[in-house]
Amino acid sequence: MCGFVCLWKIDDPALARRMIDKIAHRGPDDVQVSQAPNVPAVMAHCRLSIIGPDDGRQPIYSAEDVLVANGEIYNYADLRAILGESAFTTRSDSETILHLFRTDQLRWISKLDGMFAFVLATPERIIAARDPLGIKPLFMARIGEGLAFASELKAFDGLGLDSVEAIDPGGMFDSLDGFREWYRIPQGAAELEAGETAEPIWRELRLVLEAAVRKWMVADVEVGSFLSGGLDSSVIAALAAQSIDRPLKTFSVGTPGSPDLLAARRVAAHIGSDHYELSFTADDLARVLPDVVYHLESADVDLVRSAMPTWFATTLARRHIKVVLTGEGADELFAGYTYHHAYARKPRALADELTRSLGAMHNINLQRVDRVTMAQGLEARTPFLDRDLIDFAQSIPASLKMKIDEATGETTEKWILRKACEDLLPPELVWRRKAQFDEGSGTVDTLDLALSGLIGEAPPVDRKSEGRLYDRLLRERYADPELILENAGMWVAERVAI
């Protein structure tokens, strides 16, 4: 996991250095600034070494082409075998991007399986692309006659730019022909077909889940797992624990005695993990809030609230490991949010809403996970957003995701996921009702106390006052705050009508 800057037709290594220094937290192991020979590009890269730690320094060169990349290519070993080991000069998974490009196949990028953003330059052109769901960020700005690319918005802060734009998830920019969409989320299915039953589906789902977790654990360093005690993180942790021959390290945070801490202890005991906990107080939240807002690159109230427990979970995990698995994506794939219950008797609308929300993840939950974990040099991986798992989950009828008990009228969110994994965990944990991370961890009430002291209002603090505080904190840290706010991730309700 890394961060990078690329200047195309902008001959200014000093500018590249200033930009990469602003995002150097993404890659504390190594920072490089390089002017590519025979290519009109300056590349800067900060590295968190995960795969090929000894020789994976970037930029990576192949003949006259040069690459900087962020993320992980999980099928890199298969691609190396197909492309031929003799072509490679490093053990880095990122180098496969260069050699795939050089095959000159029309849809070469579609063969990459993982989470990634990259910029690839040749003497004649520059190409920038992003993974299917936008797990890894990538921004672009025009500076004079040239182009600048970077992994975070803050790299552009203070440059006096009029605008910055994000490369869309599943999107590619090519200086020869502009933007194109190389990946589209498959449309979700609504109801079972005549004669179709649920059991074969949940049994296959289990196999797809196991394969995704194994794939997303590929690394040359130890991989751990966030564990909130909710269904999603517990399933990931349980499957990860089964796939390795040592105790899995798990990490849980919350206020003392919070439901998440208690539930996580039970899951950890059940799966035999090496479990770590961190408690936080209102004073702790107040202390880290300015850094959370700055690194999050957003002042959105809901996004900031959800980022607070993630910050402490990252602090805890980074003391022990460099890579952690998370449960993001399960709610969007399997109907896990409270508002999804209202769609229970309209499976077509639910399927459409899940498809929409998957496409919006890059601007909310995935932005939170990427910015907050990378702020402390931790790589977060999201196995639920494995491309094969997305394809299979979208083929599962929505009526099996939000399932209705016709006898009682009760609805159960993520029913098919629970059914596929009910043997992994105790029944009371598998069928536990969902709580949002900031609620189950105790963050909501504790944050109100912290905000009350900062704002001078009696709790609970008014959301408008809370929003104004976050906006002020962001503006205090940036030279060009409007540039950041114009691109900030926000929870926007554009839900499919019921």
Side-chain angles (χ1 to χ4, degrees):
M1 195 66 67
C2 311
F4 63 74
V5 167
C6 176
L7 303 181
W8 172 252
K9 296 186 177 179
I10 304 170
D11 187 11
D12 195 343
L15 173 60
R17 167 60 72 172
R18 291 200 303 274
M19 293 176 70
I20 198 67
D21 283 348
K22 292 177 183 176
I23 60 172
H25 48 267
R26 297 184 67 92
D29 292 337
D30 186 40
V31 178
Q32 296 288 322
V33 179
S34 174
Q35 194 150 16
N38 305 315
V39 175
V42 180
M43 302 285 205
H45 190 268
C46 54
R47 184 174 185 232
L48 181 68
S49 53
I50 304 297
I51 294 177
D54 297 328
D55 65 354
R57 176 176 290 180
Q58 297 191 33
I60 301 175
Y61 295 87
S62 178
E64 292 186 317
D65 303 334
V66 58
L67 169 84
V68 283
N70 168 31
E72 305 291 348
I73 309 300
Y74 296 119
N75 64 333
Y76 80 99
D78 292 340
L79 291 174
R80 289 177 74 105
I82 293 169
L83 294 166
E85 285 286 346
S86 62
F88 289 80
T89 60
T90 76
R91 293 179 56 234
S92 170
D93 57 302
S94 297
E95 191 179 353
T96 56
I97 300 170
L98 264 176
H99 298 298
L100 265 180
F101 166 73
R102 291 174 64 81
T103 65
D104 206 30
Q105 297 179 39
L106 288 178
R107 299 194 68 247
W108 61 273
I109 190 173
S110 66
K111 293 179 170 57
L112 296 173
D113 187 2
M115 56 176 189
F116 55 83
F118 67 82
V119 176
L120 191 160
T122 78
E124 299 83 23
R125 67 200 281 206
I126 191 160
I127 297 170
R130 197 171 174 195
D131 65 63
L133 271 292
I135 301 170
K136 293 292 101 188
L138 180 55
F139 297 93
M140 181 179 83
R142 300 182 186 277
I143 300 179
E145 298 300 314
L147 297 170
F149 301 86
S151 297
E152 293 188 14
L153 286 166
K154 58 180 63 67
F156 300 98
D157 186 44
L159 302 186
L161 302 176
D162 293 329
S163 65
V164 174
E165 58 187 315
I167 304 293
D168 288 337
M172 171 187 282
F173 170 79
D174 189 329
S175 58
L176 294 183
D177 52 19
F179 292 94
R180 71 177 176 88
E181 189 177 47
W182 69 268
Y183 176 86
R184 292 176 64 87
I185 298 171
Q187 185 63 38
E191 298 187 70
L192 285 167
E193 297 180 1
E196 193 176 18
T197 60
E199 183 172 345
I201 298 174
W202 62 255
R203 289 193 181 280
E204 184 65 18
L205 173 59
R206 173 61 172 273
L207 297 177
V208 178
L209 278 166
E210 290 176 355
V213 171
R214 284 196 298 271
K215 183 195 304 182
W216 285 60
M217 290 191 74
V218 170
D220 291 333
V221 297
E222 186 175 5
V223 179
S225 187
F226 284 160
L227 182 58
S228 71
L231 178 69
D232 308 338
S233 65
S234 298
V235 164
I236 294 298
L239 291 174
Q242 290 184 352
S243 69
I244 57 177
D245 57 4
R246 63 179 182 276
L248 177 75
K249 286 185 171 67
T250 53
F251 307 95
S252 181
V253 299
T255 56
S258 60
D260 275 5
L261 282 180
L262 299 176
R265 286 175 199 166
R266 294 205 60 198
V267 175
H270 185 79
I271 67 175
S273 67
D274 183 9
H275 190 57
Y276 300 85
E277 293 182 357
L278 178 65
S279 297
F280 54 79
T281 66
D283 288 342
D284 294 325
L285 292 174
R287 173 176 51 82
V288 304
L289 180 58
D291 287 336
V292 170
V293 172
Y294 170 73
H295 283 288
L296 187 60
E297 300 185 331
S298 176
D300 181 74
V301 170
D302 292 312
L303 203 53
V304 173
R305 282 188 167 231
S306 65
M308 299 298 282
T310 307
W311 182 274
F312 289 102
T314 298
T315 300
L316 174 62
R318 191 61 182 91
R319 295 171 183 169
H320 304 275
I321 55 172
K322 283 185 175 182
V323 184
V324 69
L325 304 179
T326 82
E328 264 69 34
D331 292 323
E332 288 78 6
L333 284 175
F334 299 106
Y337 291 119
T338 301
Y339 80 91
H340 288 148
H341 288 267
Y343 290 80
R345 294 197 179 276
K346 296 201 173 176
R348 178 70 269 159
L350 176 59
D352 292 344
E353 169 57 16
L354 296 178
T355 303
R356 181 208 66 81
S357 61
L358 276 171
M361 283 194 75
H362 67 98
N363 222 25
I364 41 178
N365 276 335
L366 293 179
Q367 176 165 328
R368 166 181 56 81
V369 172
D370 173 82
R371 302 302 193 283
V372 172
T373 56
M374 292 308 295
Q376 299 182 59
L378 180 73
E379 174 174 302
R381 298 182 175 183
T382 55
F384 278 115
L385 297 180
D386 178 76
R387 201 160 87 183
D388 291 337
L389 179 51
I390 291 170
D391 290 348
F392 186 77
Q394 286 292 89
S395 75
I396 297 174
S399 58
L400 294 180
K401 298 176 179 181
M402 183 63 69
K403 191 168 175 56
I404 302 173
D405 184 330
E406 295 296 347
T408 64
E410 291 185 356
T411 53
T412 301
E413 73 273 11
K414 293 187 286 199
W415 180 87
I416 192 76
L417 177 62
R418 297 175 192 271
K419 191 66 180 174
C421 301
E422 65 180 342
D423 63 311
L424 287 173
L425 302 161
E428 64 272 22
L429 295 175
V430 172
W431 300 99
R432 178 192 181 206
R433 283 283 182 177
K434 175 182 175 60
Q436 289 185 190
F437 189 21
D438 54 351
E439 295 173 344
S441 63
T443 305
V444 173
D445 293 339
T446 308
L447 182 58
D448 269 333
L449 290 175
L451 294 172
S452 177
L454 293 170
I455 297 173
E457 290 184 10
V461 170
D462 178 75
R463 282 180 65 90
K464 290 184 179 179
S465 298
E466 184 179 353
R468 285 193 293 268
L469 172 64
Y470 299 159
D471 184 84
R472 175 173 64 79
L473 292 174
L474 186 145
R475 291 177 183 277
E476 289 174 352
R477 296 289 292 272
Y478 285 99
D480 296 327
E482 295 300 335
L483 189 74
I484 307 300
L485 291 167
E486 286 171 4
N487 291 275
M490 297 181 67
W491 290 87
V492 179
E494 297 175 346
R495 297 171 183 171
V496 173
I498 301 175

